[in-house]
């Protein structure tokens, strides 16, 4: 079942690239969240998208916005990728149960065992205010994130 605009975002707790637990609900009342599901670390399109987020993070709303990037990769792969690319936001491991969080959001490709390119803008009350889901090979437009966040 897909999460839709207007729904309360399903809470989750996943480990980041350093093994620390991160809960979506920890950001309620403090920051809007850009929840970015992507297929695989180290892949070309994913690297391009997350590097663009890294480079444009300051234009997304500053301290009032938290980016959380989620894939089925292990914590160890995410740490290596984060260090290589110097990502400053959490990369969350949806490794086990495999793709469980992506499934809850309706962005898990069962056949391939990876997340599709789903993005959810979640307001400080925990409500999904914008979403886009692209096919695995199709990069997202960060300009659309800016527009969605500006509308909050």
């Amino acid at each position: 079942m897909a999460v839709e605009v207007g729904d309360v975002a399903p809470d989750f707790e996943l480990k980041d690239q350093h093994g620390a637990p991160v809960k979506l609900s920890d950001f309620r009342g403090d920051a809007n969240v850009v929840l970015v599901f992507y297929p695989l670390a180290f892949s070309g399109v994913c690297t391009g998208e997350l590097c663009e987020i890294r480079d444009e993070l300051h234009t997304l709303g500053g301290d009032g916005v938290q980016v959380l990037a989620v894939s089925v990769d292990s914590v160890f792969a995410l740490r290596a990728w984060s260090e290589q690319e110097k990502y400053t936001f959490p990369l969350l491991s949806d490794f086990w149960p495999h793709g469980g969080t992506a499934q809850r959001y309706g962005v898990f490709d069962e056949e391939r065992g990876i997340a599709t390119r789903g993005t959810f803008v979640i307001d400080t009350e925990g409500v999904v205010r914008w979403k886009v889901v692209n096919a695995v090979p199709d990069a997202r437009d960060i300009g659309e994130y800016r527009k969605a966040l500006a509308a909050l």
Side-chain angles (χ1 to χ4, degrees):
M1 185 119 143
V3 172
E4 300 297 340
V5 172
D7 291 349
V8 173
D11 198 17
F12 58 81
E13 181 176 313
L14 298 171
K15 291 186 179 178
D16 71 9
Q17 67 266 39
H18 305 290
V22 175
K23 286 178 69 171
L24 177 63
S25 58
D26 287 344
F27 299 99
R28 283 206 183 149
D30 292 326
N32 296 307
V33 173
V34 178
L35 181 60
V36 179
F37 290 90
Y38 61 96
L40 293 167
F42 294 101
S43 62
V45 176
C46 295
T47 298
E49 284 187 316
L50 268 62
C51 284
E52 186 175 21
I53 291 170
R54 176 200 64 206
D55 296 344
E56 297 294 324
L57 194 57
H58 65 283
T59 71
L60 295 179
D63 292 338
V65 174
Q66 177 64 56
V67 172
L68 300 175
V70 182
S71 76
V72 298
D73 296 291
S74 72
V75 168
F76 307 105
L78 294 177
R79 181 179 298 169
W81 193 41
S82 177
E83 289 173 0
Q84 175 181 304
E85 301 298 337
K86 298 179 179 28
Y87 295 132
T88 58
F89 45 85
L91 302 183
L92 305 179
S93 175
D94 196 13
F95 186 75
W96 197 258
H98 189 74
T101 300
Q103 289 173 27
R104 290 176 60 207
Y105 277 78
V107 294
F108 188 72
D109 183 329
E110 293 282 344
E111 188 174 303
R112 294 180 180 170
I114 57 175
T116 57
R117 294 185 193 284
T119 304
F120 301 82
V121 171
I122 301 164
D123 70 13
T124 57
E125 300 303 312
V127 176
V128 176
R129 295 299 177 190
W130 180 83
K131 86 175 224 184
V132 66
V133 179
N134 288 7
V136 170
D138 300 329
R140 293 161 280 203
D141 179 359
I142 197 168
E144 297 300 316
Y145 300 1
R146 274 191 219 98
K147 288 179 193 174
L149 289 163
L152 295 180

